Amino acid sequence: MTHPAPIHDTVHFLRERITRAPHAVLVLGSGLGGLADEIEDPVAIPFDQIPGFPRRTQELAGHAGRLVAGRLEGVEVAAMQGRFHLYEGWSPADVALPVRALAALGAEVMLLTNAAGGLRPGMQPGDLMLMADHINLMWKNPLAGQVVPGEQRFPDMSDPYDRGFRAEAEAAALELGIPITQGVYAALLGPSYETPAEIRMLGRLGADAVGMSTVPEVLVARAMGMKCLGISCITNLAAGLGGAVLSHDEVMEVGARVRDRLAALVRGVLPRVAGLNLASEAAA
Ligand code: HPA
């Protein structure tokens, strides 16, 4: 029987330092963490100082590894600048621990970004895709094992990425002139990129993009009743589609190229999904 790591110490530590309860969690993926630097009145805590958080022995470039709490667009947020991945060897419970801890602090909403390979015909590096759904091909689930108090044993997954949130994101994107599409994200364990045959398989399964993150966090968030919005930055054409060799450097480069657009979109959608349309209130 798997026992999820106790989060009591983590929550106690964070509560002492983050005095205003975060309403929204931002999980910022590879090369997409710059937004955390724009948070107002920030309290920034390196992951390796937070009790219970997995301890990294080495830093992967692009994964700064800090929790930054404060205000963004008038919303109290706690941003994960970097995240824990299954491919690093962490258990599903490790990967999900920050979500459980931040939900315990009161967060009700989670916005996640990730880098992904695009496989739907017509997709180009630099495209942004709202996650409409996912296919979990990691064959791991952080909800397996003992049920954590406050979580459901058999959570519904018919709307993992909230339909209303996606509509708000589309509206924000339209307002900002940011092209956006919706699609299905296939999550694989990694860390190797896929083979061309695997990409053909994923296309037949109904995937539009492929990546190595996000799904473990969303499974836990949904089990706790948090609403989620996922945004994939298509950093490359999936293996075999572009003819090029895939590299982490390329993923980081494209991530850096779209970071301003992605940051603008997250800023635009945040007050909408937090239930506070501050812009329209100010105009009224
Ligand atoms: N495959 C898996 N994960 C990824 C990719 C990819 O092509 N690009 C960015 N993350």
Side-chain angles (χ1 to χ4, degrees), residues 87-114:
Y87 66 68
E88 293 171 282
W90 305 118
S91 71
D94 287 332
V95 172
L97 183 133
V99 180
R100 289 186 161 126
L102 294 168
L105 291 189
E108 294 174 7
V109 163
M110 186 159 71
L111 268 61
L112 308 100
T113 66
N114 57 51

Side-chain angles (χ1 to χ4, degrees), residues 115-117 193-194 210-212 235-238 246 251:
Y193 290 115
E194 302 70 35
V210 56
M212 308 173 191
T235 52
N236 55 280
L237 298 182
L246 302 195
V251 168

Side-chain angles (χ1 to χ4, degrees), residues 151-265:
E151 295 179 15
Q152 300 171 47
R153 169 79 298 178
F154 301 112
D156 172 67
M157 283 293 153
S158 53
D159 194 22
Y161 305 91
D162 187 80
R163 193 177 297 278
F165 282 14
R166 282 183 277 136
E168 293 294 347
E170 287 202 316
L174 191 67
E175 212 169 272
L176 294 162
I178 297 173
I180 193 140
T181 179
Q182 292 203 32
V184 173
Y185 175 93
L188 272 66
L189 177 63
S192 42
Y193 290 115
E194 302 70 35
T195 64
E198 286 166 344
I199 292 303
R200 288 194 295 275
M201 173 191 77
L202 293 174
R204 290 190 186 124
L205 293 180
D208 299 301
V210 56
M212 308 173 191
S213 69
T214 305
V215 166
E217 294 103 310
V218 168
L219 293 172
V220 165
R222 291 306 298 140
M224 305 180 93
M226 291 171 90
K227 288 187 175 183
C228 301
L229 179 74
I231 309 174
S232 293
C233 166
I234 305 300
T235 52
N236 55 280
L237 298 182
L241 299 180
V245 169
L246 302 195
S247 77
H248 183 63
D249 289 346
E250 178 195 10
V251 168
M252 299 302 289
E253 267 167 43
V254 177
R257 187 145 61 72
V258 300
R259 55 173 271 176
D260 290 350
R261 243 186 314 147
L262 184 61
L265 180 60

